[in-house]
């Protein structure tokens, strides 16, 4: 027998939804800007692409190297 499988609430996971303040705040960063991340430390934004919740930045961190981070989730603060 073949039974149908349905995923309940697909895409409606509140734990994966960034807070509204994070979404709007991601538009304030610019290439060349110095930032601080809780885990990776001090870094410089070298590239930005995407919009809204899909906006991400390439950041060159002093100790952790180069990382791509989703700005809606990264919790970056200007240095």
């Amino acid at each position: 027998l073949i039974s149908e499988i349905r995923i309940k609430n697909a895409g409606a996971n509140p734990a994966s939804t960034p807070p509204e303040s994070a979404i709007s705040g991601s538009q304030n960063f610019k290439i060349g800007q110095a930032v601080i991340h809780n885990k990776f430390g001090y870094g410089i934004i070298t590239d930005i692409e995407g919009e809204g919740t899909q906006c991400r930045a390439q950041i060159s961190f002093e100790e952790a190297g180069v990382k791509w981070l989703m700005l809606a989730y990264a919790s970056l603060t200007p240095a």
Side-chain angles (χ1 to χ4, degrees):
L1 296 175
I2 298 175
S3 60
E4 184 176 340
I5 299 173
R6 294 183 186 216
I7 300 172
K8 294 182 180 180
N9 298 327
N13 183 355
S16 66
T17 305
E20 191 63 35
S21 61
I23 296 170
S24 61
S26 67
Q27 303 303 319
N28 296 328
F29 293 104
K30 296 180 176 21
I31 294 173
Q33 182 176 359
V35 293
I36 298 175
H37 184 271
N38 290 339
K39 181 177 179 179
F40 303 128
Y42 178 85
I44 302 290
I45 297 175
T46 57
D47 195 8
I48 297 175
E49 63 182 37
E51 296 179 2
T53 59
Q54 299 302 309
C55 187
R56 67 184 193 145
Q58 184 180 50
I59 305 170
S60 178
F61 292 100
E62 287 183 338
E63 301 294 322
V66 177
K67 308 268 185 215
W68 277 100
L69 300 177
M70 299 297 290
L71 292 178
Y73 298 93
S75 299
L76 296 172
T77 55

